[in-house]
Amino acid sequence: SGGSPDGYLGLPVPALGTEYYTVNYPEAENFDGDETAEFLIIAPFDSTQVAITSTSHTQDMFGSISHNPGDTWNVLLMKGQSYLVQSSGYYSQIDDLTGSHVLSSKPIALMTGHQMANIPLTMESADYLIEMMPPDDTWGTEYFEMPMAGRTVCGDYIRILSAQDSNVITANGTIIATLNAGQWIERNTVITPQIYASSNGRRFIVAQYSYSAHYLGDPAEADPFLVLLTPRQEFENRILFRTPPPAQGPSFKNYVTILAPMDSMSFITINGTAATSYPSAGQATFAGTTPVIGALRLLLPDGTNSYLATSIVQFGMYQYGISDYEGYGW
């Protein structure tokens, strides 16, 4: 919206669940005032009991502190009702809702993100973050990260959040953490392709953030945005996607990254045309995978268009766009 866009993959009601953990970013004081981490719970069904455990201080509708870190409280939602949780606004650079736990008696939808994040907090470039969280029983055990286009100096900011206890996480085969449910780690300035995996087969999720413009002298002018990566276990044969109109100023440079076995890339079509015939914006392979998994990043035409990608072999895909101090991703 306006000059601070982002977007998310909308999940239909049959894909919703009853247990979630959230991915956010620390609250801060920036040029737009006090900006907080937040998540929104939406009930598709009547008489939905929801238990919320926050990892930070939260605020009530008057801006006063309503809950402390570790508190659990309950709300009752009827069909169509929503409930917004925001960090307090009193603990700049400290309060961060990441890892907050939401448990419900019936399936719910959960949107999560940040009002206006600077990444990192020392930067002046800021933007809205939002993703629709999948329920944690659908999270995967293996993810492939291809750093974002144009971020040749700063790379990506990554958060890895576990859904289960004693989760041993590796990056390109090296153990980087053992996490319990709701715990997370960050990885800064990731500039090379990465395989994130659980060596003991436990579920987790990977969030890829775009850094603020010109962080570490990076030439890209993309503002922050948030993308949840697709696990190998959730690859599909058909993926429908759409490029958006510009938020303001010039059109977005729209990118899609396709993840698939390298020997199967030629089978993937987009609107009936071989994906490999679209302008390439980079490619990579992930060593040690069997069959060898590759990433193909494509540059799509300007403007608002709809696309259908299909293949006889399952593949993953994520999409993002950058413009003049703008960005979106899902």
Side-chain angles (χ1 to χ4, degrees):
S1 62
S4 298
D6 197 7
Y8 58 89
L9 172 67
L11 301 176
V13 170
L16 303 181
T18 59
E19 185 173 15
Y20 295 83
Y21 291 96
T22 71
V23 175
N24 306 91
Y25 197 71
E27 65 181 40
E29 297 176 4
N30 60 31
F31 54 83
D32 200 38
D34 291 331
E35 304 297 349
T36 61
E38 58 187 3
F39 60 88
L40 180 73
I41 300 164
I42 305 171
F45 304 104
D46 282 336
S47 302
T48 300
Q49 297 279 353
V50 183
I52 302 163
T53 304
S54 170
T55 56
S56 82
H57 302 89
T58 64
Q59 61 177 292
D60 61 20
M61 68 179 66
F62 305 106
S64 299
I65 292 177
S66 56
H67 298 283
N68 295 314
D71 284 356
T72 298
W73 68 100
N74 298 286
V75 295
L76 175 64
L77 298 177
M78 303 303 286
K79 181 178 180 179
Q81 288 187 323
S82 62
Y83 185 83
L84 178 65
V85 178
Q86 292 182 309
S87 62
S88 68
Y90 287 94
Y91 295 89
S92 180
Q93 305 183 41
I94 298 174
D95 268 349
D96 183 333
L97 286 169
T98 299
S100 293
H101 186 223
V102 180
L103 190 64
S104 61
S105 62
K106 298 177 183 179
I108 55 172
L110 192 146
M111 316 290 189
T112 194
H114 198 284
Q115 283 185 322
M116 184 74 68
N118 314 64
I119 304 177
L121 297 172
T122 54
M123 300 301 292
E124 294 184 359
S125 158
D127 241 341
Y128 182 55
L129 307 179
I130 188 170
E131 277 292 324
M132 187 171 184
M133 293 298 300
D136 66 21
D137 61 358
T138 66
W139 295 6
T141 60
E142 187 176 33
Y143 296 78
F144 304 99
E145 178 207 358
M146 171 99 166
M148 292 183 186
R151 311 319 294 266
T152 55
V153 177
C154 66
D156 296 335
Y157 174 73
I158 297 293
R159 287 192 174 194
I160 299 170
L161 173 66
S162 179
Q164 295 179 283
D165 289 340
S166 303
N167 198 339
V168 181
I169 306 295
T170 64
N172 288 347
T174 300
I175 294 175
I176 56 174
T178 298
L179 303 175
N180 288 327
Q183 291 184 332
W184 58 277
I185 59 167
E186 62 182 358
R187 305 193 82 216
N188 295 287
T189 59
V190 180
I191 60 175
T192 58
Q194 302 286 311
I195 306 170
Y196 299 113
S198 170
S199 65
N200 54 349
R202 303 191 176 182
R203 298 187 310 277
F204 66 101
I205 201 164
V206 179
Q208 180 186 39
Y209 298 70
S210 168
Y211 277 112
S212 294
H214 305 308
Y215 178 52
L216 300 180
D218 192 89
E221 294 184 344
D223 267 352
F225 55 87
L226 170 62
V227 180
L228 295 179
L229 298 190
T230 300
R232 188 173 187 171
Q233 294 78 16
E234 297 289 341
F235 284 7
E236 297 286 351
N237 294 102
R238 294 166 57 87
I239 298 177
L240 182 68
F241 60 102
R242 183 170 173 83
T243 52
Q248 60 180 7
S251 297
F252 288 108
K253 288 184 179 179
N254 298 297
Y255 298 95
V256 293
T257 298
I258 300 172
L259 303 165
M262 284 299 296
D263 59 6
S264 302
M265 283 289 185
S266 60
F267 297 133
I268 301 172
T269 64
I270 299 177
N271 286 356
T273 301
T276 52
S277 68
Y278 282 75
S280 174
Q283 58 185 21
T285 57
F286 297 92
T289 51
T290 305
V292 177
I293 300 295
L296 176 62
R297 185 169 58 211
L298 306 177
L299 178 64
L300 297 176
D302 292 349
T304 305
N305 299 289
S306 295
Y307 298 92
L308 176 63
T310 63
S311 176
I312 60 173
V313 175
Q314 290 185 325
F315 62 98
M317 178 180 287
Y318 52 94
Q319 176 188 348
Y320 55 92
I322 60 175
S323 183
D324 185 13
Y325 293 94
E326 305 293 352
Y328 74 87
W330 47 72

